[in-house]
Amino acid sequence: VSADKCVVIPYGIPQEEPPVDKAETKAAVCHELGISPDHHLLFFNGVLNYEPNRKALDAIIEKINPALVSSGLKYKLLIAGKNLPVSYNDLKDHPHIVYLGFVDDIDRYTKAADLLLN
């Protein structure tokens, strides 16, 4: 994505500098999830039965993921959140998507991610 089409929006707490342990956190998350460390991590989270979040999840699955597949990029989409509707159970077997469910430490995954999807 070209820089003129991007915007940086602080997540939660405004930070003056990137976290110093970002690389270590990403390496640990990749190891725990069995993801090659050369993959880009894209992260989306939210309560998944909430309609705006469900619509965002649909856009990720139906539009963003196919574009990424055709780009040849090495990536994994990490999806966190509770209340995943039953109709999305096939996400658990998707080759490019890792459904994490509810996570206790959301900041860990935001730190590990190369890109946050909101």
Side-chain angles (χ1 to χ4, degrees):
V1 178
S2 63
D4 64 323
K5 294 183 179 181
C6 297
V7 63
V8 174
I9 301 172
Y11 170 77
I13 302 169
Q15 291 183 280
E16 297 295 323
E17 298 176 15
V20 294
D21 60 342
K22 181 172 181 52
E24 294 85 3
T25 304
K26 179 178 178 180
V29 167
C30 285
H31 177 74
E32 290 167 19
L33 298 175
I35 298 170
S36 175
D38 67 343
H39 280 56
H40 296 280
L41 300 182
L42 291 77
F43 183 55
F44 176 76
N45 71 292
V47 177
L48 299 172
N49 64 349
Y50 176 58
E51 185 176 0
N53 292 344
R54 189 187 45 73
K55 286 182 177 181
L57 184 58
D58 288 341
I60 290 166
I61 295 167
E62 297 167 9
K63 296 180 181 176
I64 294 172
N65 188 59
L68 291 170
V69 168
S70 24
S71 77
L73 184 73
K74 293 180 180 180
Y75 73 95
K76 290 289 184 178
L77 287 160
L78 305 181
I79 310 292
K82 61 182 182 177
N83 299 331
L84 181 70
V86 174
S87 60
Y88 292 83
N89 276 348
D90 60 341
L91 283 184
K92 298 171 185 174
D93 299 320
H94 195 286
H96 293 286
I97 297 175
V98 178
Y99 175 62
L100 302 167
F102 179 82
V103 296
D104 290 325
D105 186 0
I106 196 78
D107 290 332
R108 184 165 185 264
Y109 293 95
T110 59
K111 189 184 298 182
D114 296 297
L115 180 69
L116 300 177
L117 300 170
N118 187 350

